[in-house]
């Protein structure tokens, strides 16, 4: 482990920073210790929570549910067909409610509208009779304006305490389609919530400064490691053989939604520079366009103009969990050329496979990468600097000893982004809300409140 001694040292130091969890967190205006078993903090043997998933984001929803039930919390898991998996339906502390049902995209617009309306009717009915007094929203549903306003007000009228994991504080701002109505509806939702979880200090600062949310109502939690994607004995060589990649090719991976804020055009420009000097470079582009295909067509035209299409392997569609490992095992490095993000779930997915990353210096990405040990960082929207960092990576010890480093990165990520850490913070907030509405210390049990005795 000599090569990773710096990772160990910096990991220990980072675990003291606000977003990681091995420290004291402000909850409801009080400093709350997070050491010790979460169950002793919450009295969670009698605590029941409704986890509203929005029907998607399977890795995060399953990770959260398993983390909560592992410390004794009983969960009403509001999901969909996609989330009806053995680890949910066989968990004795989980009550799986498939309110969302089928979400296949290959149906008529009428069928889509009808199933969304049926879902909202079921959700409203459930909320009226639900045992849990605490609702934890992981994502809003299809009609975000309704969810942020009328549905939130309905939950509050029912006397529910509501917490929300804000994966994006204002996605409209990120996607360059922000509006006064979007900001107003966000402000209404954030003001009505009892507590908000975010993934970075910058996200917390945006909530405080732009939406006037008191700091005590916001907690920073790590982005949980993705443990749901299948990991088989498939080897790098076998993965490359399936994709038709030469064993000696220097292979980069772009994975996930294809949208303007992802900066894929900068990666294509950098890739063209590299291929012009060395034809052993390969690029995997795996994901589907978010929204219309205009941006993807723009990227395609750049590849054609640069004459690099023959060095690019494309899978422009949704990739199910069981196929994901093929691309992460075939690749030598993950590239995140983003222009506007706070955080990236794709980075942590890559880490779960032990794959190093080269990321733009935006949002919190620099804080998540240890230079030379888990990856490299480049200047955002700078194709030349990206090309330089890619070359530096393929000339580094990190790449030359990649198989050893993959194991070390996986171990590092499983510790730093563990769901146990996340559960410790979240159950502390649950307890504060259950006992005193978030305004008093949480280090003791009580026999009333949200408990289902």
């Amino acid at each position: 482990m000599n090569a990773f001694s710096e990772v160990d040292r910096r990991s220990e130091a980072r675990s003291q920073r606000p977003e990681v969890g091995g420290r004291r967190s402000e909850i409801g205006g009080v400093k709350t210790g997070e050491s010790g078993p979460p169950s002793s903090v919450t009295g969670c043997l009698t605590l029941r929570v409704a986890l509203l998933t929005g029907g998607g984001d399977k890795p995060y929803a399953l990770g959260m549910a398993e983390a909560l039930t592992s410390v004794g919390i009983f969960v009403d898991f509001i999901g969909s067909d996609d989330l009806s998996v053995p680890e949910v339906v066989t968990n004795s502390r989980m009550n799986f409610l498939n309110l969302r049902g089928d979400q296949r995209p290959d149906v008529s617009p009428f069928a889509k509208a009808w199933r969304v309306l049926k879902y909202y009717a079921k959700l409203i009915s459930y909320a009226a009779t639900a045992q849990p007094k605490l609702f934890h929203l992981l994502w809003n549903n299809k009609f975000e304006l309704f969810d942020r306003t009328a549905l939130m007000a309905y939950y509050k009228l029912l006397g529910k305490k509501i917490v929300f994991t804000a994966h994006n504080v204002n996605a409209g701002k990120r996607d360059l389609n922000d509006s006064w109505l979007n900001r107003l509806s966000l402000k209404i939702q954030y003001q009505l919530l009892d507590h908000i979880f975010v993934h970075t200090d910058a996200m917390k600062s945006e909530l405080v400064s732009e939406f006037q949310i008191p700091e005590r109502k916001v907690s920073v939690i790590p982005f949980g490691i993705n443990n749901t994607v299948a990991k088989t004995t498939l080897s790098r060589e076998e993965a490359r053989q399936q994709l038709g990649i030469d064993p000696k090719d220097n292979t980069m991976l772009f994975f996930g939604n294809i949208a303007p804020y992802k900066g894929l055009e900068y990666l294509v420009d950098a890739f063209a520079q590299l291929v012009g000097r060395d034809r052993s470079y390969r690029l995997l582009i795996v994901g589907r366009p978010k929204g219309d295909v205009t941006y993807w067509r723009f990227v395609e035209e750049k590849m054609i103009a640069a004459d690099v299409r023959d060095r690019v392997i494309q899978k422009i569609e949704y990739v199910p969990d069981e196929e994901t490992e093929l691309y992460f095992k075939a690749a030598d490095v993950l590239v995140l050329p983003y222009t506007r993000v706070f955080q990236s779930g794709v980075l942590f997915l890559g880490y779960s496979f032990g794959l190093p990353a080269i990321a733009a210096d935006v949002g919190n990405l620099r804080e998540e990468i240890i230079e030379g040990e888990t990856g490299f960082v480049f200047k955002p929207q700078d194709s030349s600097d990206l090309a330089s960092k890619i070359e530096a990576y393929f000339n580094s010890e990190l790449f030359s000893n990649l198989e050893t480093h993959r194991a070390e990165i996986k171990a590092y990520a499983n510790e730093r982004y563990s769901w146990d850490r996340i559960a410790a913070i979240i159950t502390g907030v649950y307890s504060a809300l259950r006992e005193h509405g978030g305004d008093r210390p949480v280090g003791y049990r009580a026999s009333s409140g949200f408990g289902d005795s």
Side-chain angles (χ1 to χ4, degrees), residues 232-243:
T232 70
T233 58
L234 181 74
S235 68
R236 174 182 183 270
E237 291 71 25
E238 291 167 336
R240 290 193 165 212
Q241 187 175 25
Q242 288 187 37
L243 293 172

Side-chain angles (χ1 to χ4, degrees), residues 160-205:
K160 306 300 183 183
K161 294 288 186 181
I162 312 171
V163 300
F164 180 56
T165 301
H167 302 283
N168 302 291
V169 174
N170 184 352
K173 183 178 179 181
R174 179 200 66 191
D175 297 341
L176 302 180
N177 59 8
D178 199 8
S179 67
W180 69 268
L181 183 58
N182 176 63
R183 291 191 299 275
L184 176 62
S185 65
L186 281 169
K187 187 167 185 176
I188 291 171
Q189 179 167 42
Y190 292 145
Q191 294 287 347
L192 288 173
L193 291 165
D194 293 286
H195 206 85
I196 305 168
F197 298 109
V198 294
H199 300 303
T200 72
D201 288 330
M203 296 173 76
K204 180 173 181 175
S205 296

Side-chain angles (χ1 to χ4, degrees), residues 41 49 108 129 157 164 167 178 200 207 258 265 292 343 372 414:
V41 172
V49 173
S108 69
T129 59
L157 285 171
F164 180 56
H167 302 283
D178 199 8
T200 72
L207 278 170
I258 298 171
E265 70 269 31
D292 66 51
Q343 193 59 276
N414 282 326

Side-chain angles (χ1 to χ4, degrees), residues 255-275:
F255 188 93
N257 287 333
I258 298 171
Y261 73 90
K262 292 294 188 77
L264 181 54
E265 70 269 31
Y266 297 103
L267 175 55
V268 169
D269 286 343
F271 182 67
Q273 294 176 38
L274 295 167
V275 171

